[in-house]
Amino acid sequence: MEFDPMRPKWQQIAEEITRRIASGEYPAAHQLSEVRLASEFGVNRDTMRKATKALRESGTITTVPNMGTFVRSTEGGQDSE
């Protein structure tokens, strides 16, 4: 990914992850690894943490203590079947 030098990298990464979720590349309940994503995007973990924080605040992902960070369902509620 080529970064726009006029915009924060964390914001561009958050947008790319959102695109991947929307396209189905990262489906609901997909676990996201900050370490792997930081390596993939070529950024440090602090930058990746800012991106995941923004995604959590927007409701796109959720972090479960001692479990990890996951893509949230885009459905209005839980799947019953």
Side-chain angles (χ1 to χ4, degrees):
M1 175 174 176
E2 238 180 87
F3 292 107
D4 176 349
M6 302 303 289
R7 298 178 52 229
K9 286 182 181 179
W10 67 264
Q11 189 175 53
Q12 295 175 69
I13 292 167
E15 289 169 359
E16 176 60 22
I17 292 170
T18 299
R19 276 192 289 275
R20 291 178 184 186
I21 292 167
S23 75
E25 184 177 342
Y26 294 165
H30 176 81
Q31 186 170 16
L32 300 173
S33 164
E34 283 185 358
V35 173
R36 278 187 245 135
L37 289 169
S39 176
E40 176 186 344
F41 288 111
V43 297
N44 65 40
R45 288 203 51 204
D46 287 339
T47 300
M48 198 63 240
R49 283 188 191 111
K50 286 180 185 179
T52 55
K53 179 179 184 228
L55 291 167
R56 263 193 308 280
E57 288 174 352
S58 71
T60 305
I61 64 173
T62 187
T63 300
V64 180
N66 300 314
M67 295 286 293
T69 299
F70 301 89
V71 174
R72 290 183 61 122
S73 172
T74 56
E75 305 294 318
Q78 291 190 2
D79 295 341
S80 55
E81 288 186 275

